[in-house]
Amino acid sequence: MHNCKHTIHRHQHHYVWDNRLEPVLRVEPGISVNFEVFDASGGQLSPRSTAQDVARLDFERVNPVAGPVYIEGAEPGDTLEVEIEGFGQPSWGWTAIIPGFGLLSDQFNQPYLKVWELTGKQTAEFAHGIEIPIRPFPGTIGVALPEPGQHSVVPPRKNGGNMDIRHLTRGTRLFLPVWVEGALFSVGDTHAAQGDGEVCGTAIEAGMDIQLKFKLHKGKQIQEPQFITPGPLTTGLDEKGYYVTTGYGEDLMTATRKAVSYMIEHLEQEYGLSAQEAYALSSVAVDLKISEVVDVPHYLVSAYLPLAIFK
């Protein structure tokens, strides 16, 4: 990462989208800003935490986002371009199954916690012989909403928010609609790795620095976020192929739940993982794809497990 004149420090964060929040920094377009980002627990978990600590998480304090930053000249009807310039090295991370949260929360009601050692590493060890490539990205990134009041940062919205798009890695350019003067940009929930879908509700959650540069497109309006990746999506994972489970249903959620359930069964049977471990591994490594939406009354969803993670 380059040297930055501006840093948003860890204590300069907030827990809701609210267009009345005072900006912690004002910058001109073209300026790079370094953000010190908390992990999604907001510091409630540590490398010494246990599954019991997961059950005690205060949801009022999860997903803090650093900011907001006022972009000079940004007005409603503009588009804010956010270039992701780089990330600091995370030292540790966590993946949890949180009771009442996640795609299969009805099946997984007991807390689970995996703590990852990340210092100086290119891959993160899930278990002996299972290594996940570290590919940092921000889970939550966005601007203030036009609607007044406080809005939770937990779901994705038209302003971006908790999109959990794992391809927002270094070099990606994200385009966000500007809804209020100055845009009021914030970022948080950094991840060391994740599968498309983040099915158990958490990825490899890891606090780290992220450096971003802003550009304004005046009078160019979009309704929801769009982005450009700098190259291929899954380099380093494609080379050994995939094991894929499929699920069909009369709605996408049913199809998705079935595809993931079958993947969990496969991981248990083939690799000797517990059901909780298989669910957590699916969240950090398995990519969901909508394979088919036109042949009603059924939809088809596929879950792709990269075989390259098995050493």
Side-chain angles (χ1 to χ4, degrees):
M1 295 201 297
H2 314 298
N3 291 326
C4 271
K5 287 192 296 186
H6 299 290
T7 295
I8 306 299
H9 296 287
R10 192 161 275 118
H11 66 274
Q12 297 173 303
H13 64 264
H14 55 99
Y15 295 97
V16 290
W17 300 113
D18 186 342
N19 59 29
R20 294 169 305 179
L21 289 173
E22 283 295 316
V24 299
L25 178 70
R26 299 172 76 103
V27 296
E28 295 286 342
I31 299 296
S32 296
V33 179
N34 184 64
F35 294 79
E36 296 177 351
V37 173
F38 265 119
D39 72 283
S41 79
Q44 295 182 71
L45 297 178
S46 79
R48 296 166 299 284
S49 293
T50 66
Q52 280 58 51
D53 297 313
V54 170
R56 291 192 286 264
L57 280 175
D58 177 0
F59 262 68
E60 296 296 309
R61 292 167 53 207
V62 301
N63 266 34
V65 286
V69 173
Y70 186 105
I71 315 299
E72 299 288 0
E75 299 173 302
D78 296 342
T79 290
L80 178 66
E81 178 181 329
V82 184
E83 181 181 349
I84 300 173
E85 294 191 310
F87 297 85
Q89 175 70 40
S91 59
W92 72 284
W94 59 272
T95 301
I97 298 171
I98 303 169
F101 189 60
L103 178 72
L104 303 178
S105 57
D106 55 329
Q107 298 173 38
F108 292 87
N109 53 19
Q110 295 301 308
Y112 164 91
L113 180 67
K114 159 69 180 174
V115 174
W116 308 75
E117 171 56 47
L118 304 176
T119 304
K121 295 182 181 294
Q122 302 286 306
T123 62
E125 184 182 70
F126 179 77
H128 181 68
I130 305 178
E131 298 270 348
I132 310 300
I134 293 175
R135 303 275 171 79
F137 71 96
T140 304
I141 187 167
V143 294
L145 288 156
E147 293 82 9
Q150 298 185 343
H151 305 271
S152 170
V153 296
V154 174
R157 302 176 185 273
K158 65 185 180 184
N159 66 323
N162 193 12
M163 299 188 291
D164 290 317
I165 298 173
R166 73 180 188 89
H167 302 298
L168 298 183
T169 48
R170 185 172 181 267
T172 294
R173 293 152 57 205
L174 171 67
F175 303 96
L176 296 167
V178 176
W179 302 108
V180 301
E181 188 180 301
L184 298 181
F185 171 89
S186 302
V187 63
D189 185 31
T190 40
H191 296 162
Q194 182 200 287
D196 283 331
E198 198 190 23
V199 293
C200 87
T202 57
I204 301 182
E205 309 292 334
M208 68 185 86
D209 287 8
I210 176 173
Q211 184 171 303
L212 306 173
K213 185 162 75 174
F214 303 100
K215 181 178 177 181
L216 262 186
H217 298 272
K218 296 295 295 177
K220 172 181 165 54
Q221 191 165 29
I222 56 175
Q223 298 306 310
E224 297 192 34
Q226 302 173 12
F227 63 96
I228 300 172
T229 72
L233 300 182
T234 47
T235 304
L237 288 174
D238 287 332
E239 285 71 12
K240 292 188 178 178
Y242 293 81
Y243 188 92
V244 184
T245 55
T246 69
Y248 85 92
E250 294 190 3
D251 60 81
L252 283 172
M253 187 57 74
T254 300
T256 303
R257 285 168 53 91
K258 287 169 69 176
V260 173
S261 295
Y262 301 150
M263 180 57 72
I264 289 169
E265 289 176 9
H266 170 72
L267 288 167
E268 288 180 90
Q269 293 165 4
E270 192 70 20
Y271 299 99
L273 301 179
S274 71
Q276 283 188 316
E277 289 171 332
Y279 187 29
L281 182 60
S282 295
S283 199
V284 301
V286 170
D287 289 331
L288 293 176
K289 298 182 188 292
I290 299 174
S291 296
E292 225 270 81
V293 292
V294 292
D295 291 330
V296 292
H298 294 156
Y299 300 89
L300 192 71
V301 170
S302 303
Y304 282 67
L305 171 70
L307 298 179
I309 68 174
F310 300 101
K311 305 306 176 188

